[in-house]
């Protein structure tokens, strides 16, 4: 992984050596040799700017960045813990304070259970008061928990931890840094901390900082204020000012070489007549109303304004004179037969200096010009209409763009557009946009965001077909969450609203899935058969119903199921329905897995992971990773399986797909069990958590895995007790551990 160096001029003025050290430390951390850096300097000398530049150069999808800014009066380690919880999506509702007391009481009786309870209680702390009540034992355990969580995160991706303003921290933070600095040398973790040595009043904190820098692996770097030579280069390269000796002396006297103060001074336009912002503002304010409208049109026109567009939009006989004047002032320039703003600052200042009604009028002119000539892309039209205050028209164009993105499976682009459209729209358009938003988020597998957006939809503002889509999406969501009664209710509501046969077929299929997941295959088959009957033959809708029917008969006729799935995938490809194709492909790979064709499964899962990752379809990526892990698990390659399942577990957690996370974690614990690690207690807790959250199906599969583990350990009575407790359901799905492993996470079509 290479660090991408970006253009950020002032960071390279008198800072090159520091930056090179950070890059070197990052490369060491990538190789598993963790590094820690302490950046020391006065307030505003550029510590934060240096760290920002360094982090900007890292490809964020390839590394986890955890940043915490110390705040007076708040425990920094609590802030770091909450940051880790957010990154790992730890949202269990557990009484942490009570659990801490139980853990402390069990230290002597059962140190292992006590340690496990401590970890769970610490990881689920949600309030500062509970955090402050941690005793000495809890504090030592907290250090270990934080280190362990960061270690587990670094197994998936390298981790960069940044702690700003240590001087506002406390002794516990520095004790942790001392503990941490000696334990990251063999890990893919880098830690950067900044502080102002002149603001550390506590002798104990000063002593601890000295110990961290001398005894651990931490390297300390002093960030000094700029001298006159550096300041001259800064003004010329970053603020476009050629300072006279007098002006340079004025800047040094006012700022003492402090970068923070330089920025304030030069951006205010009050204390410094040499401010580039001030100069541009004066030039723009000297323009006439017509000239300012011309400059505004140039600033907002997508890609710059052609001359013929300006002639029509402005309809002015003095256009050329006005254009020549604003060019002489250095505000615009010619580029490829278009007029463009000389800098982004010109554009920003121009927009900020015109009244709102003028800005809206300019955007409306541009939007109509582009619309009449079909000369702008859909998103440009949507943006200009939105800025003009024409929200309804903007929403129509946003939805047109989204439908195109969805048909092309460009889900990331659709999600970005929908987020922007939803933020700017008003009711009823906002609810109508959000129906598509939740659909895209569902296809991407981002359930955290989906639940937030779903709660904002007002059903009374939806058109009839949008109400159907709304209830269908809720049916899909509740099915995935395991809330099958709610899913059926939403499905029946959608069915009562739908009239078009194809749509009714999809709803019938969705209701059938709720019975399938419950093990009621006869009822599921009836719904699937009806869905097939009402669907137009040979269409993707019809093919999806045939896939469901084939999966019902999978156990009795695997070869017949494969041929049905193969034909369905052909139909999906021909019609460009890649979502259904991928979903069916996963089911096909599960059949191959059941047949023991592991090489084909691993190859197919790898291909799917690459494809879906590029498309932004994160649920499929996580499912393919889990499928690969299941195949390795069945083969007995437990270490390789554990690595895959750990990745799948994190992928599901990152997208908020809790049931998938729990299934992958259960399989991961099963793999660890076969590697000689005791995971029975953790598996039991996981099953209880799944049941508490309403994931009944997931809880049952986890308990079956637990039963298999206990039987393998010679604890037959406990194993049988679990099976007896689940009763008839066990007989319906079978008790073979291999069957449970393979089918525990099947994402049926």
């Amino acid at each position: 992984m290479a660090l991408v160096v970006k253009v950020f001029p002032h960071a390279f003025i008198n800072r090159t050596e520091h930056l090179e050290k950070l890059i070197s430390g990052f490369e060491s951390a990538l190789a598993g040799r963790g590094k820690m850096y302490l950046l020391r300097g006065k307030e505003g000398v550029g510590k934060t700017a240096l760290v920002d530049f360094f982090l900007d150069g890292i490809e964020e999808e390839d590394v986890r960045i955890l940043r915490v800014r110390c705040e007076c009066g708040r425990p920094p380690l609590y802030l770091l813990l909450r940051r880790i919880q957010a990154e790992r999506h730890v949202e269990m509702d557990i009484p942490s304070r009570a659990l801490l007391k139980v853990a402390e009481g069990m230290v002597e009786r059962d140190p292992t259970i006590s340690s496990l309870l401590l970890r769970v209680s610490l990881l689920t702390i949600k309030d500062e008061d509970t955090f402050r009540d941690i005793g000495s034992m809890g504090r030592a355990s907290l250090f270990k928990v934080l280190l362990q969580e960061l270690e587990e995160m670094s197994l998936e991706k390298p981790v960069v931890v940044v702690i700003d303003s240590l001087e506002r921290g406390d002794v516990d933070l520095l004790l942790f840094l001392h503990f941490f600095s000696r334990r990251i040398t063999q890990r893919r973790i880098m830690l950067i901390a900044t502080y102002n040595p002149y603001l550390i009043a506590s002798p104990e904190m000063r002593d601890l900082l000295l110990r961290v820098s001398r005894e651990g692996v931490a390297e300390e770097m002093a960030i000094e204020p700029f001298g006159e030579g550096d300041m001259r280069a800064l003004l010329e390269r970053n603020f476009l000012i050629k300072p006279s000796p007098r002006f340079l002396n004025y800047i040094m006297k006012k700022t003492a070489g402090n970068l923070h103060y330089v920025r304030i001074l030069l951006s205010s336009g009050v204390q410094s007549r040499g401010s580039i912002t001030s100069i541009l503002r004066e030039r723009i304010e000297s323009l006439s109303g017509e000239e300012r409208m011309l400059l505004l049109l140039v600033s907002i026109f997508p890609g710059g304004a052609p001359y013929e567009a300006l002639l029509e939009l402005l309809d002015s006989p003095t256009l050329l004179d006005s254009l020549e004047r604003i060019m002489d002032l250095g505000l615009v320039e010619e580029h490829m037969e278009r007029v463009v703003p000389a800098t982004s600052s010109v554009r920003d200042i121009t927009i900020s200096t015109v009244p709102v009604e003028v800005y809206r009028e300019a955007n409306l002119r541009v939007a109509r010009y582009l619309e009449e000539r079909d000369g702008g892309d859909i998103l440009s039209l949507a943006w200009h209409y939105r800025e003009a205050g024409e929200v309804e028209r903007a929403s129509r164009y946003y939805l047109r763009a989204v439908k195109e993105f969805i048909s092309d499976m460009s889900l990331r682009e659709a999600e970005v557009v929908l987020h922007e459209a939803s933020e700017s729209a008003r009711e009823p358009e906002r609810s109508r946009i959000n129906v598509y938003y939740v659909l895209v988020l569902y296809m991407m597998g981002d359930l955290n965001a989906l639940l937030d957006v779903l709660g904002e939809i007002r059903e009374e503002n939806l058109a009839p077909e949008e109400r159907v889509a709304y209830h269908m999406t809720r049916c899909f969501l509740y099915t995935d969450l395991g809330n099958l009664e709610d899913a059926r209710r939403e499905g029946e509501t959608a069915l009562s609203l739908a009239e078009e046969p194809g749509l009714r077929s999809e709803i019938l299929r969705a209701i059938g899935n709720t019975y399938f997941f419950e093990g009621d295959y006869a009822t599921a088959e009836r719904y699937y058969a009806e869905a097939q009957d009402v669907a137009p033959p040979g269409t993707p809708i019809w093919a999806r119903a045939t896939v469901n029917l084939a999966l019902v008969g999978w156990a009795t006729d695997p070869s017949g199921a494969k041929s049905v799935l193969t034909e369905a995938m052909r139909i999906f490809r021909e019609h460009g329905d890649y979502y259904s194709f991928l979903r069916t492909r996963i089911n096909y790979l599960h059949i191959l897995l059941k047949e023991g064709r592991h090489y084909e499964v691993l190859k197919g899962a790898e291909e799917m992971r690459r494809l879906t990752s590029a498309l932004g379809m994160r649920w499929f990526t996580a499912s393919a990773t889990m499928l690969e892990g299941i195949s390795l698990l069945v083969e007995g390659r437990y270490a390789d399986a554990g690595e895959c399942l750990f990745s799948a577990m994190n992928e599901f957690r990152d997208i908020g797909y809790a049931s998938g996370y729990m299934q992958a974690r259960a399989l991961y614990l099963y793999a660890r069990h076969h590697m000689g690690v005791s995971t029975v207690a953790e598996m039991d807790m996981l099953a209880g958590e799944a049941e508490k959250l309403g994931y009944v199906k997931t809880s049952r599969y986890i308990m079956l895995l637990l039963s298999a583990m206990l039987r393998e350990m010679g604890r037959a009575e406990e194993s049988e007790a679990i099976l007896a407790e689940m009763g008839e359901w066990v007989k319906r799905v079978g008790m073979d551990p291999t069957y449970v492993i393979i089918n525990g996470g099947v994402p049926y079509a």
Side-chain angles (χ1 to χ4, degrees):
M1 185 192 312
L3 196 77
V4 180
V5 177
K6 301 179 180 179
V7 178
F8 192 32
H10 73 253
F12 284 103
I13 299 170
N14 198 25
R15 300 289 185 259
T16 307
E17 182 181 347
H18 305 91
L19 183 63
E20 287 175 349
K21 285 185 179 180
L22 292 178
I23 293 173
S24 174
F26 180 68
E27 290 171 346
S28 295
L30 289 181
R33 302 186 301 276
K35 296 286 287 183
M36 179 172 169
Y37 292 92
L38 299 176
L39 306 186
R40 182 187 75 234
K42 293 180 181 178
E43 180 184 4
V45 297
K47 303 185 296 293
T48 302
L50 176 63
V51 175
D52 287 344
F53 174 76
F54 168 72
L55 295 178
D56 281 347
I58 295 175
E59 297 288 352
E60 287 193 30
E61 60 268 26
D62 295 327
V63 65
R64 290 186 189 274
I65 298 173
L66 306 181
R67 192 163 191 174
V68 172
R69 183 175 298 278
C70 297
E71 302 172 19
C72 291
R74 303 193 70 189
L77 291 183
Y78 170 74
L79 300 176
L80 178 59
L81 177 64
R82 291 293 286 159
R83 185 70 183 83
I84 290 173
Q85 289 173 348
E87 190 72 17
R88 292 175 72 77
H89 300 287
V90 177
E91 292 295 340
M92 291 183 286
D93 188 16
I94 291 176
S96 304
R97 193 188 299 269
L99 205 57
L100 275 169
K101 291 182 179 178
V102 173
E104 289 176 355
M106 294 189 66
V107 174
E108 295 182 3
R109 284 182 291 166
D110 194 334
T112 303
I113 295 296
S114 174
S115 176
L116 178 62
L117 290 175
L118 262 175
R119 184 181 183 199
V120 172
S121 61
L122 291 170
L123 277 177
T124 54
I125 288 176
K126 300 279 181 63
D127 63 279
E128 288 187 31
D129 290 337
T130 302
F131 184 90
R132 292 177 193 277
D133 288 343
I134 295 174
S136 58
M137 182 188 73
R139 188 171 291 107
S141 297
L142 174 65
F143 291 178
K144 293 178 184 177
V145 165
L146 292 173
L147 178 64
Q148 187 174 355
E149 289 298 307
L150 291 170
E151 284 177 348
E152 289 189 8
M153 290 166 68
S154 72
L155 293 175
E156 180 189 2
K157 297 179 181 179
V159 176
V160 177
V161 181
V162 178
I163 302 176
D164 291 303
S165 305
L166 287 182
E167 69 275 5
R168 297 176 186 168
D170 55 24
V171 171
D172 284 347
L173 172 62
L174 293 177
L175 286 171
F176 172 69
L177 293 183
H178 186 254
F179 167 86
F180 190 74
S181 65
R182 295 182 294 174
R183 289 168 173 79
I184 63 170
T185 53
Q186 303 299 317
R187 295 168 176 87
R188 297 198 302 167
I189 302 174
M190 179 182 187
L191 188 143
I192 304 170
T194 69
Y195 73 99
N196 183 345
Y198 302 96
L199 297 181
I200 298 180
S202 162
E204 187 177 5
M205 288 180 67
R206 285 201 298 269
D207 180 60
L208 281 168
L209 263 174
L210 190 63
R211 287 170 59 190
V212 169
S213 60
R214 288 185 177 177
E215 299 176 15
V217 295
E219 181 174 345
E220 195 164 25
M221 292 191 283
I223 311 297
E224 301 294 344
F226 284 175
E228 280 195 9
D230 298 323
M231 183 62 67
R232 180 183 295 278
L234 173 72
L235 294 172
E236 290 179 351
R237 292 172 58 184
N238 205 48
F239 292 91
L240 308 178
I241 296 172
K242 293 187 181 297
S244 65
R246 185 175 178 180
F247 182 70
L248 182 60
N249 183 58
Y250 169 80
I251 291 288
M252 292 300 296
K253 186 177 179 180
K254 284 284 186 181
T255 67
N258 184 304
L259 180 59
H260 178 62
Y261 297 149
V262 172
R263 285 191 186 130
I264 293 174
L265 189 65
L266 294 183
S267 63
S268 66
V270 175
Q271 295 153 298
S272 169
R273 293 181 63 187
S275 164
I276 189 66
T277 303
S278 170
I279 292 168
L280 288 175
R281 187 175 292 275
E282 286 176 7
R283 291 175 183 173
I284 290 167
E285 289 177 348
S286 73
L287 299 175
S288 67
E290 182 181 279
E291 289 167 343
R292 199 177 299 185
M293 175 58 86
L294 171 61
L295 182 56
L296 179 59
L297 291 169
V298 168
S299 298
I300 67 173
F301 205 98
Y307 292 113
E308 62 272 17
L310 291 173
L311 281 167
E312 183 165 335
L313 289 169
L314 203 58
D315 190 24
S316 167
T318 61
L319 172 68
L320 294 179
D321 292 337
S322 299
L323 189 57
E324 186 175 344
R325 172 166 155 73
I326 63 176
M327 290 183 75
D328 288 342
L329 288 173
L331 300 174
V332 298
E333 56 189 35
E334 293 182 74
H335 179 69
M336 300 290 289
E337 298 183 356
R338 290 172 177 262
V339 184
V340 298
T343 65
S344 59
S345 296
V346 168
R347 183 190 63 240
D348 295 343
I349 296 170
T350 300
I351 292 172
S352 70
T353 55
V354 299
V356 173
E357 59 271 17
V358 174
Y359 177 68
R360 287 184 172 177
E361 171 64 24
N363 276 286
L364 188 58
R365 290 188 195 183
V366 172
R368 287 173 176 169
Y369 176 88
L370 294 173
E371 193 173 45
E372 288 170 5
R373 285 156 185 76
D374 199 22
D377 63 76
I378 297 173
L379 286 179
S380 291
L381 286 164
W383 187 86
H384 283 297
Y385 274 123
R386 186 193 73 180
E387 295 299 288
E390 299 279 334
V391 179
E392 190 173 344
R393 283 190 178 184
S395 299
R396 286 205 299 267
Y397 279 113
Y398 275 129
L399 289 178
R400 274 182 58 186
V402 165
K403 289 173 184 177
E404 288 185 9
F405 284 137
I406 292 175
S407 65
D408 294 337
M409 293 308 292
S410 303
L411 298 181
R412 283 189 179 130
E413 290 84 350
E415 192 263 343
V416 169
V417 171
L418 283 163
H419 177 75
E420 182 177 325
S422 178
E423 288 291 311
S424 62
R426 298 188 295 268
E427 294 294 344
E429 284 79 15
R430 188 175 191 188
S431 288
R432 300 183 66 184
I433 287 169
N434 281 343
V435 168
Y436 290 93
Y437 199 177
V438 295
L439 177 62
V440 168
L441 291 170
Y442 178 79
M443 293 173 75
M444 292 179 71
D446 194 344
L447 297 194
N448 282 331
L450 187 158
L451 290 168
D452 289 340
V453 178
L454 197 62
E456 296 176 0
I457 295 176
R458 298 180 186 175
E459 187 178 351
E460 65 272 16
N461 289 337
L462 303 179
E465 67 275 10
E466 291 161 350
R467 289 186 65 200
V468 175
Y470 169 70
H471 287 288
M472 277 186 68
T473 304
R474 289 172 68 93
C475 176
F476 295 149
L477 175 64
Y478 286 137
T479 301
D480 284 347
L481 295 176
N483 303 335
L484 300 181
E485 288 299 326
D486 290 338
R488 283 178 202 135
R489 187 181 65 251
E490 294 292 340
E492 294 294 348
T493 301
L495 192 63
S496 68
L497 296 168
E499 296 179 359
E500 196 269 322
L503 195 54
R504 291 183 65 82
S505 173
E506 293 286 77
I507 299 168
L508 288 165
R509 201 173 60 83
I511 298 172
N513 284 343
T514 68
Y515 290 101
F516 190 101
F517 285 134
E518 204 169 46
D520 187 351
Y521 301 129
T523 305
E525 189 171 13
R526 285 201 304 274
Y527 274 97
Y528 294 152
E530 187 178 352
Q532 187 183 42
D533 289 341
V534 301
T539 62
I541 295 172
W542 176 85
R544 285 193 283 273
T546 66
V547 167
N548 284 111
L549 280 169
L551 290 172
V552 172
W554 176 3
T556 55
D557 185 14
S559 61
K562 279 198 301 183
S563 63
V564 171
L565 266 59
T566 301
E567 174 61 16
M569 285 189 286
R570 182 191 66 76
I571 293 173
F572 296 142
R573 273 199 307 267
E574 284 183 358
H575 288 80
D577 185 353
Y578 299 113
Y579 184 83
S580 297
F581 171 82
L582 290 169
R583 196 132 189 157
T584 306
R585 177 67 176 160
I586 281 204
N587 290 319
Y588 187 86
L589 291 174
H590 270 88
I591 296 177
L592 296 182
L593 178 59
K594 185 72 173 175
E595 294 176 347
R597 296 161 66 174
H598 297 289
Y599 174 76
E600 293 174 63
V601 173
L602 294 175
K603 185 178 178 181
E606 184 182 356
E607 290 173 354
M608 178 170 288
R609 196 167 60 245
R610 283 202 306 268
L611 173 63
T612 57
S613 178
L615 291 172
M617 304 174 75
R618 300 171 66 189
W619 181 86
F620 283 108
T621 306
S623 295
T625 305
M626 184 164 75
L627 180 60
E628 187 175 350
I630 292 172
S631 181
L632 293 167
L633 193 59
V634 175
E635 278 191 286
R637 295 165 57 182
Y638 300 116
D640 293 335
E643 188 174 334
C644 272
L645 292 164
F646 185 80
S647 294
M649 187 173 78
N650 289 326
E651 288 166 6
F652 279 126
R653 183 184 55 220
D654 287 346
I655 62 176
Y657 193 74
S659 60
Y661 164 78
M662 290 176 179
Q663 290 171 11
R665 184 165 184 80
L667 293 164
Y668 170 72
L669 293 173
Y670 190 75
R672 298 270 291 169
H673 159 73
H674 280 280
M675 294 165 64
V677 179
S678 177
T679 58
V680 170
E682 198 170 348
M683 184 80 89
D684 192 25
M685 286 181 65
L686 184 63
E689 182 188 338
E691 186 172 13
K692 181 180 178 182
L693 293 174
Y695 302 123
V696 179
K697 177 174 70 78
T698 301
S699 174
R700 287 171 173 173
Y701 279 125
I702 294 171
M703 291 303 291
L704 282 178
L705 281 174
L706 177 59
S707 172
M709 286 167 57
L710 291 170
R711 191 161 57 250
E712 291 163 7
M713 296 168 68
R715 294 161 64 174
E717 267 186 46
E718 295 172 70
S719 173
E720 291 301 321
I722 289 174
L723 298 178
E725 188 178 335
M726 287 189 286
E728 288 298 313
W729 184 81
V730 171
K731 295 177 184 176
R732 288 204 300 270
V733 301
M735 294 185 297
D736 174 20
T738 303
Y739 178 90
V740 174
I741 292 167
I742 292 176
N743 293 283
V746 173
Y748 293 100

